[in-house]
Amino acid sequence: MNKQNITIFVNHPQCELDCAHAMASAFKPYFHVRMITIEDFNLDTLNNADIIAFPGGIGDADDFDHIFTKSHIRILKTFLHNGGKYLGICMGAYWAGKDYFNILGDINAVQYITQPDTDIATEYETKATVQWNNMETEMYFYDGCAFVGNLDNVDIIGTYDNGDAMAIIKDNIGIIGCHPEAEYWWYKNIGYGYYTNHHNALCNFALEI
């Protein structure tokens, strides 16, 4: 099977290098991987990609307006209209929402820790207990989003402990609130000496978009 081309957008710290490199590490066995910055965010570049991926990072989702112009938004929407695919993790998932790229229709990405019956109270890095393809696992979490609204016509791949959608695929858009790309040292830095590697799960998710 021919490998698809996945282009990872980097804008440190909002789409930070650690997250981008972790995504690249996960994807390289299955995809041709390229990284770009805002200077290369144009249709010529995107037309050479099957998937544009936006990683997580540090900062406010509202930093979006300081990075992307209306022209960039049109470029992204044209890419999707022409059959390209969008993959967003954490910050990249927030940016799919109505106040940013606005590509989710009547679905929005909201801060999980503000949701009813959430099991996580901290904005900082921790682990979340989630269901991924109906199997319970623990996944790295750093103030990630949940997806709310009309979920009738989407594939819900992952859910949080309270039942909120954590990973969904809507048409050619796949978004994830947690960090399946996380490396072992991410968990070690927050005091966990073990972790479940979710890189294959992330690759399968990307292939399903």
Side-chain angles (χ1 to χ4, degrees):
M1 182 177 67
N2 292 331
K3 289 184 177 181
Q4 294 187 51
N5 297 314
I6 190 162
T7 294
I8 301 174
F9 177 78
V10 181
N11 194 92
H12 193 79
Q14 295 88 0
C15 291
E16 69 169 13
L17 287 170
D18 283 344
C19 292
H21 283 300
M23 289 175 75
S25 177
F27 288 136
K28 279 181 179 177
Y30 303 97
F31 295 87
H32 297 294
V33 178
R34 178 184 183 186
M35 294 189 186
I36 64 168
T37 64
I38 194 66
E39 286 77 16
D40 298 311
F41 197 91
N42 55 63
L43 273 179
D44 286 341
T45 298
L46 295 190
N47 284 339
N48 290 315
D50 297 296
I51 302 174
I52 177 70
F54 294 85
I58 298 172
D60 193 309
D62 291 338
D63 291 341
F64 179 93
D65 292 328
H66 302 294
I67 301 169
F68 298 100
T69 65
K70 290 181 179 179
S71 177
H72 292 127
I73 295 172
R74 286 195 295 270
I75 287 167
L76 186 279
K77 290 185 175 180
T78 299
F79 169 72
L80 295 177
H81 178 76
N82 291 339
K85 302 172 185 179
Y86 181 107
L87 172 61
I89 295 177
C90 199
M91 185 73 80
Y94 278 115
W95 282 350
K98 64 180 181 180
D99 296 319
Y100 309 106
F101 282 125
N102 190 24
I103 55 176
L104 295 177
D106 48 5
I107 298 170
N108 201 26
V110 299
Q111 194 177 24
Y112 173 62
I113 64 172
T114 66
Q115 287 294 98
D117 301 319
T118 179
D119 59 324
I120 298 176
T122 179
E123 294 182 4
Y124 298 102
E125 50 195 339
T126 185
K127 288 198 302 183
T129 299
V130 301
Q131 295 283 330
W132 185 278
N133 281 328
N134 298 314
M135 294 183 63
E136 183 172 299
T137 187
E138 292 182 315
M139 197 171 285
Y140 189 94
F141 175 91
Y142 199 151
D143 198 18
C145 48
F147 307 110
V148 300
N150 183 2
L151 301 174
D152 290 343
N153 297 313
V154 307
D155 293 324
I156 300 176
I157 308 300
T159 58
Y160 289 105
D161 186 68
N162 72 342
D164 282 354
M166 185 277 291
I168 65 171
I169 296 174
K170 174 182 169 63
D171 300 323
N172 55 343
I173 299 165
I175 43 179
I176 305 170
C178 286
H179 287 270
E181 84 282 16
E183 306 277 9
Y184 168 72
W185 64 267
W186 296 25
Y187 289 86
K188 189 174 180 180
N189 282 354
I190 58 174
Y192 296 95
Y194 66 94
Y195 86 125
T196 301
N197 186 309
H198 298 102
H199 285 188
N200 283 340
L202 173 58
C203 288
N204 289 333
F205 180 89
L207 290 168
E208 290 175 17
I209 298 173

